[in-house]
Amino acid sequence: MAWVLKMDEVIESGLVHDFDASLSGIGQELGAGAYSMSDVLALPIFKQEDASLPPDNEAKHPPFQYVMCTATSPAVKLHDETLTYLNQGQSYEIRMLDNQKMGDTPEINGKMVKSIIRVVFHDRRLQYTEHQQLEGWKWNRPGDRLLDLDIPMSVGVIDIRTNPSQLNAVEFLWDPAKRTSAFIQVHCISTEFTPRKHGGEKGVPFRIQVDTFKQAENGEYTDHLHSASCQIKVFKPKGADRKQKTDREKMEKRTAHEKEKYQPSYDTTILTECSPWPDTPTAFVNSSPTPTPTFTSTQHSTYSIPDSNSSSPNHQGDGIPQGSGEQLHSSATIQETQQWLLKHRFSTYARLFSNFSGADLLKLTREDLVQICGPADGIRLYNALKSRSVRPRLTIYVCQEQSRSLQLERQQDAGSGESSNGAIYVYHAIYLEEMAASELTRKLASVFNIPLHQINQVYRQGPTGIHILVSDQMVQNFQDESCFLVTTIKAENGDCFHIILK
């Protein structure tokens, strides 16, 4: 009975928090130069949409609620997302609550559901390079996991699974009709993914995301039911307690007027609803170091479990330069435009743009898209339509040494009246988004078709022919558009290779 009362208090605090957040826009006025949405909504393409959209009072009731039993930071602005501090390796309880109304989802009554808990990056910059970041972490922490489930502490979870290739995820089955608590342990700390400069660097935020699925007709738990997440930062043991105390002391020194701009510290952290991960049906190709998203015709209610090459909700393809086949053309039909939206993770707006051809969508300005989709997704959609890719931080050119013998016929200056065959050395361009030796190694493996696991070390040939081990610091000091000759030699064990940059 005491546990039930505690659950009521937790849910009540979450409802109050959500109500406070819902007041964030009251009293705000659009500037004189703001774009008028009435002009957009008056278009014929939107009039048909209005009739098909459900009224606000018929919004779907979320079936579950997830509550992490940890206090939020008091130093968070009133209308910002909550931030929760965790200690590395400490067990934290996430209560899995059945939030369904009677008859909401009768198909799961008396049945188990599956939940996947992940720790992922919050910042878009790190989501672009998440695979490289996690590979680097695994290299520095062999045998460790980013996320674990404290099984002895957990209640009501069964069939617990952790994939050795997915170090940031755990999954389990649970019965919504019974008390369920999953105790998680996060082993990566926020400063591990911050570039080292002068000490005291600010740690990056993570997200804890929970995705829940019901059983499909084939017996697999692939039908998505609900997703929610919260923002966290992870400190070394006891560091979260010190940070919470420091934030509390800072707030106590502020005036009453200043305190009104900040939200109070809640005793628990309510995970807020979000898009499922991934938010479009996506299959990943494992043959290349960088995950390549491919569109499938699977219904949106079906979820394909991806591999370990990607982990964040927004990871798929955002930082990958698009080829000509990735760009939406003005000649695209309505169906092709819908496929393009799904492939580029705009499924939320697929129904809104259900009558748009490629030409219709491309005619919308940046301001139009921001008004329709909001600032974040509007800018993302505008950039995707314009095929804007992330500029690499470093470009180098490499040529395999044995290919120097390749000769292509080259006509000399016609004014000389002579012609001869000259040697043209063919170089490959390597673009690095992250200045790290691990990324350079992966790109070299891809360019020269060498299995990544067979590359032992990468060296740079120095003065007098010495071989210098390539480190992150050396990569950071490469000059942009440097040229290297690449030689591969057998390692001592005979199964691997050393790569030498000359």
Side-chain angles (χ1 to χ4, degrees):
M1 186 63 182
W3 183 85
V4 173
L5 292 174
K6 181 64 177 176
M7 287 295 97
D8 292 340
E9 293 173 7
V10 169
I11 295 173
E12 182 179 354
S13 65
L15 293 174
V16 171
H17 181 201
D18 292 342
F19 178 74
D20 289 342
S22 69
L23 300 178
S24 61
I26 296 179
Q28 297 180 2
E29 297 181 357
L30 293 173
Y35 187 89
S36 174
M37 271 302 294
S38 61
D39 296 339
V40 177
L41 297 178
L43 296 173
I45 49 179
F46 285 100
K47 288 181 179 179
Q48 180 181 353
E49 184 61 27
D50 290 342
S52 60
L53 290 173
D56 293 340
N57 58 1
E58 293 182 10
K60 188 175 180 181
H61 191 68
F64 305 108
Q65 188 173 51
Y66 317 116
V67 181
M68 186 159 61
C69 300
T70 313
T72 61
S73 167
V76 177
K77 291 290 183 67
L78 191 59
H79 304 306
D80 288 348
E81 183 182 10
T82 60
L83 176 61
T84 304
Y85 303 131
L86 305 183
N87 288 315
Q88 179 189 26
Q90 183 172 327
S91 296
Y92 291 93
E93 180 183 10
I94 297 180
R95 296 180 181 177
M96 319 287 288
L97 305 177
D98 185 358
N99 199 34
Q100 301 174 88
K101 291 183 179 179
M102 186 67 68
D104 270 357
T105 48
E107 64 272 20
I108 67 171
N109 289 343
K111 296 184 178 180
M112 310 291 286
V113 295
K114 181 174 80 171
S115 287
I116 302 176
I117 301 180
R118 292 183 181 86
V119 56
V120 295
F121 289 117
H122 172 78
D123 291 344
R124 180 63 60 88
R125 175 182 62 85
L126 290 171
Q127 291 173 13
Y128 288 149
T129 59
E130 185 170 89
H131 176 61
Q132 292 92 327
Q133 296 285 346
L134 298 186
E135 284 293 310
W137 188 90
K138 182 168 65 173
W139 178 268
N140 293 324
R141 302 270 297 273
D144 288 350
R145 292 184 54 84
L146 284 86
L147 182 70
D148 270 325
L149 194 67
D150 189 340
I151 299 176
M153 294 283 289
S154 300
V155 177
V157 298
I158 64 171
D159 197 16
I160 301 163
R161 297 184 182 182
T162 56
N163 190 329
S165 64
Q166 289 183 298
L167 304 180
N168 64 327
V170 295
E171 62 178 64
F172 52 84
L173 301 181
W174 61 285
D175 186 347
K178 298 180 180 180
R179 174 188 173 185
T180 304
S181 290
F183 282 77
I184 62 167
Q185 298 171 334
V186 182
H187 299 293
C188 55
I189 59 177
S190 293
T191 53
E192 286 183 288
F193 300 95
T194 305
R196 303 295 177 182
K197 294 180 180 179
H198 308 293
E201 288 81 12
K202 187 177 181 181
V204 302
F206 301 118
R207 300 197 70 80
I208 295 294
Q209 174 149 343
V210 182
D211 298 290
T212 299
F213 309 88
K214 66 180 179 181
Q215 203 168 20
E217 293 181 357
N218 60 4
E220 300 293 329
Y221 290 88
T222 53
D223 287 355
H224 178 259
L225 285 171
H226 184 245
S227 294
S229 65
C230 66
Q231 184 181 193
I232 64 167
K233 280 191 175 182
V234 185
F235 297 81
K236 291 183 178 180
K238 302 298 181 182
D241 306 322
R242 291 192 293 270
K243 177 61 174 171
Q244 186 81 354
K245 180 181 178 182
T246 301
D247 284 1
R248 188 168 57 249
E249 291 173 348
K250 286 182 179 179
M251 293 306 301
E252 290 173 353
K253 295 177 182 178
R254 295 183 181 271
T255 65
H257 178 69
E258 290 176 331
K259 289 180 181 178
E260 291 177 357
K261 300 177 183 178
Y262 292 83
Q263 56 182 277
S265 174
Y266 301 103
D267 292 337
T268 57
T269 302
I270 307 295
L271 277 66
T272 55
E273 283 194 279
C274 64
S275 299
W277 187 97
D279 55 2
T280 59
T282 307
F284 291 94
V285 180
N286 296 322
S287 59
S288 61
T290 305
T292 305
T294 57
F295 176 78
T296 66
S297 59
T298 312
Q299 293 182 354
H300 181 56
S301 60
T302 301
Y303 176 89
S304 300
I305 303 297
D307 63 15
S308 63
N309 283 346
S310 181
S311 300
S312 279
N314 300 319
H315 179 67
Q316 304 92 287
D318 268 12
I320 303 172
Q322 297 177 359
S324 59
E326 296 292 317
Q327 186 174 359
L328 181 68
H329 297 284
S330 58
S331 59
T333 65
I334 292 177
Q335 183 180 5
E336 289 169 343
T337 303
Q338 287 289 300
Q339 291 181 354
W340 185 91
L341 288 168
L342 292 172
K343 183 176 182 179
H344 290 80
R345 301 183 300 101
F346 296 105
S347 58
T348 307
Y349 308 101
R351 193 160 65 92
L352 188 62
F353 295 118
S354 59
N355 294 320
F356 277 62
S357 66
D360 295 329
L361 200 56
L362 288 166
K363 286 177 183 177
L364 295 178
T365 65
R366 183 178 185 272
E367 289 72 22
D368 294 338
L369 295 171
V370 167
Q371 289 289 330
I372 296 170
C373 305
D377 283 340
I379 294 172
R380 189 166 66 88
L381 178 53
Y382 177 77
N383 289 338
L385 289 170
K386 302 302 180 183
S387 296
R388 295 188 176 184
S389 58
V390 179
R391 180 177 176 85
R393 298 179 63 185
L394 177 68
T395 301
I396 63 173
Y397 305 111
V398 294
C399 173
Q400 202 161 9
E401 192 168 33
Q402 50 264 41
S403 70
R404 297 182 65 184
S405 60
L406 175 64
Q407 295 189 0
L408 300 177
E409 187 172 345
R410 182 173 60 184
Q411 188 76 25
Q412 286 191 341
D413 186 8
S416 66
E418 297 179 0
S419 64
S420 65
N421 290 335
I424 297 179
Y425 305 137
V426 179
Y427 282 77
H428 299 272
I430 290 182
Y431 304 102
L432 300 181
E433 286 80 26
E434 198 69 22
M435 308 280 275
S438 58
E439 184 177 7
L440 174 61
T441 304
R442 281 189 290 273
K443 294 294 176 70
L444 288 170
S446 176
V447 165
F448 296 115
N449 294 319
I450 303 173
L452 182 60
H453 68 274
Q454 289 187 7
I455 298 179
N456 196 337
Q457 297 288 356
V458 178
Y459 300 97
R460 182 177 181 180
Q461 186 166 301
T464 68
I466 63 173
H467 293 161
I468 307 167
L469 183 65
V470 173
S471 63
D472 291 348
Q473 188 174 10
M474 180 183 289
V475 173
Q476 292 162 11
N477 283 280
F478 280 169
Q479 289 189 356
D480 197 28
E481 297 195 333
S482 298
C483 298
F484 296 98
L485 293 175
V486 175
T487 301
T488 57
I489 60 174
K490 281 280 188 179
E492 296 77 11
N493 57 15
D495 296 328
C496 297
F497 297 91
H498 296 307
I499 292 181
I500 302 173
L501 304 178
K502 298 181 179 180

